[in-house]
Amino acid sequence: MAAAIELADRDGIESISMRKLAQELGVEAMSLYTHVRNKADLLDGLADAVIGQIPTSTDGADWKASLRQIVFAARGVVLRHPWAPRAVQAQTAPGPAALHYINAVIGILREGGFSIAQTHHALHILGSRVLGFTQDLFDDSGDLEPEAAASLASALGQSHPYAVEMALAVTHAGTLGPCDDDAEFEFALEFILDGLARLQQS
Amino acid sequence: MAAAIELADRDGIESISMRKLAQELGVEAMSLYTHVRNKADLLDGLADAVIGQIPTSTDGADWKASLRQIVFAARGVVLRHPWAPRAVQAQTAPGPAALHYINAVIGILREGGFSIAQTHHALHILGSRVLGFTQDLFDDSGDLEPEAAASLASALGQSHPYAVEMALAVTHAGTLGPCDDDAEFEFALEFILDGLARLQQS
DNA sequence: CTTGTCGTCTTTACATCGTAAGGTTAACCC
DNA sequence: GGGTTAACCTTACGATGTAAAGACGACAAG
């Protein structure tokens, strides 16, 4: 398992094959099947192993602080293992670590005074963000060069003015500066936490 | 392309192979490479084709109504093609349809009075929801039988009380009833739209 | 009518993949 | 010491993506 994580960190998750992982361990491919039912099982284990790395202990004063703390911890793990979102998404069933984690999250909300229904809604609103990542429409974190920006503007400016305006604003020279994913994640999380607080009071 | 969509609808997206798709078209596998650079290119095309099915015209009175309308339209398409989220996520670069769509979404917000910075934040908050789907932690839409629920409660009730409480509440017999994904999606969207309205005013 | 170009489709081939079936080996218990 | 068991190995099969080279018809230029 540890070897698989190391391999995924180095070469990406889609380059994990039974043969390569076995080679990493100085062993033949088929030997892995004594410890794992099949490849899907292995990947499920991988996903659960990453989730297991998230510390679930919280010392937050209230539910908001605790939730923020646990989600940031999750994000830290995800940033260390960029393949984690893929692995989690491919998961067929939640493993023990996932169960432990989700139990901790639900616990924070319930102890914080959320009803079951409110907690359920909160989980759906948070979605994968509670695990430290989000699926965006496209990657806007890459900073494109001025020349590329110019050609983009002239090529698509007519047909897609709003998209181009936004793309240009997010460049290094644009009005917003390059997109800071961490800051955006934090902003979105805070946005949702505030909304949840309002939801709870109503 | 149409044949690929049909095949994906029928057998799921991971069962799309060059040979099977070719067979569907009464042709050999290698013939596809005259029309497509490689398989990744094909899947990108698939993703863009689904996005292209989303109507981008809106007759909403304000930005909120328009955004709601376009997102629900997107959700309709996604529900018709359950493999769409996977395809969109695997996309390497946004295609023309994706560009057109994102331009429409940004346009709604900008015309609705959102600044560029606010619009940028909104996109990150909405994430994939703007395309009609969300990545959840786990699938809670399946309704489990009473016996399974009982064994679950006795097996994990001690170690994971909050998770079990939630799982039981979401069964048919539970206090919340079975999870209605559509209702949850709508609730979460409305939650975010309300938050965005507040964001705009501040 | 011939000749050459071009777009489409085919054939063959190769490396890589997951894994089924069966065999070997070393540790350990009675 | 015979039997059990867990870990590992060898061989093999079918499926996959795609590189390389060719076949065949349509069509424009000579």
Side-chain angles (χ1 to χ4, degrees):
Chain A
M1 212 73 253
I5 291 186
E6 194 186 316
L7 208 171
D9 283 343
R10 179 153 35 86
D11 298 348
I13 196 169
E14 60 270 348
S15 81
I16 284 193
S17 79
M18 300 306 266
R19 286 180 237 257
K20 277 194 215 145
L21 177 56
Q23 188 181 7
E24 205 78 5
L25 293 163
V27 138
E28 295 302 313
M30 290 308 291
S31 305
L32 302 177
Y33 284 86
T34 3
H35 309 92
V36 154
R37 247 173 327 126
N38 48 38
K39 190 181 178 181
D41 192 34
L42 192 160
L43 293 178
D44 277 15
L46 256 196
D48 212 53
V50 216
I51 296 179
Q53 289 186 4
I54 309 172
T56 53
S57 64
T58 56
D59 53 5
D62 54 0
W63 65 267
K64 218 180 197 181
S66 295
L67 198 50
R68 193 167 23 226
Q69 184 181 359
I70 205 172
V71 169
F72 279 158
R75 179 155 180 86
V77 171
V78 163
L79 291 181
R80 275 205 303 282
H81 307 293
W83 45 269
R86 264 194 197 294
V88 169
Q89 179 169 26
Q91 217 176 7
T92 59
L99 250 164
H100 178 77
Y101 184 75
I102 190 68
N103 184 71
V105 171
I106 297 178
I108 289 173
L109 290 167
R110 294 288 282 131
E111 299 280 345
F114 284 80
S115 72
I116 298 191
Q118 287 172 336
T119 304
H120 187 222
H121 283 145
L123 288 180
H124 275 279
I125 290 167
L126 284 163
S128 72
R129 219 179 306 255
V130 86
L131 275 171
F133 66 93
T134 330
Q135 156 84 37
D136 290 316
L137 286 89
F138 53 86
D139 181 20
D140 61 352
S141 62
D143 190 15
L144 39 80
E145 292 101 66
E147 51 181 35
S151 77
L152 192 151
S154 69
L156 299 169
Q158 291 297 320
S159 51
H160 305 295
Y162 295 115
V164 167
E165 177 196 42
M166 177 63 71
L168 292 183
V170 178
T171 62
H172 190 73
T175 58
L176 296 180
C179 178
D180 179 344
D181 267 339
D182 277 348
E184 287 298 329
F185 183 85
E186 186 166 355
F187 185 90
L189 179 61
E190 221 58 46
F191 172 97
I192 291 180
L193 293 181
D194 287 346
L196 290 180
R198 248 185 303 269
L199 181 69
Q200 186 186 22
Q201 280 155 17
S202 67
Chain B
M1 211 73 253
I5 291 185
E6 195 186 314
L7 207 170
D9 283 341
R10 180 155 33 87
D11 299 347
I13 196 167
E14 60 270 348
S15 81
I16 283 193
S17 79
M18 299 308 265
R19 285 180 237 258
K20 278 194 215 145
L21 177 56
Q23 188 181 9
E24 205 80 4
L25 293 163
V27 137
E28 295 303 314
M30 290 308 291
S31 305
L32 302 178
Y33 285 85
T34 357
H35 309 91
V36 154
R37 246 172 328 125
N38 47 40
K39 190 180 178 182
D41 192 34
L42 193 162
L43 293 178
D44 276 14
L46 256 195
D48 212 53
V50 217
I51 296 179
Q53 288 187 5
I54 310 173
T56 52
S57 65
T58 56
D59 53 5
D62 53 0
W63 65 267
K64 220 181 198 181
S66 294
L67 197 50
R68 193 166 24 226
Q69 185 181 359
I70 206 172
V71 170
F72 279 158
R75 180 154 179 85
V77 171
V78 163
L79 291 181
R80 278 206 302 282
H81 306 294
W83 45 268
R86 262 192 198 295
V88 169
Q89 178 169 25
Q91 216 175 10
T92 59
L99 251 163
H100 178 77
Y101 184 76
I102 190 68
N103 183 71
V105 171
I106 297 178
I108 290 173
L109 290 167
R110 295 287 284 131
E111 298 280 344
F114 284 80
S115 71
I116 298 192
Q118 288 172 334
T119 304
H120 187 224
H121 283 145
L123 289 180
H124 275 279
I125 290 168
L126 284 163
S128 71
R129 219 179 305 256
V130 87
L131 275 171
F133 66 93
T134 329
Q135 157 84 38
D136 289 316
L137 285 89
F138 53 87
D139 182 20
D140 61 354
S141 63
D143 190 14
L144 40 80
E145 292 101 66
E147 50 180 37
S151 79
L152 191 150
S154 70
L156 300 168
Q158 292 297 320
S159 52
H160 306 294
Y162 295 115
V164 168
E165 177 195 42
M166 177 62 71
L168 293 183
V170 179
T171 62
H172 190 75
T175 58
L176 297 181
C179 177
D180 179 345
D181 268 338
D182 278 347
E184 287 298 331
F185 182 86
E186 186 167 353
F187 184 91
L189 179 61
E190 222 58 45
F191 172 97
I192 290 179
L193 292 181
D194 288 346
L196 290 180
R198 248 186 306 267
L199 180 69
Q200 186 187 23
Q201 281 154 17
S202 67

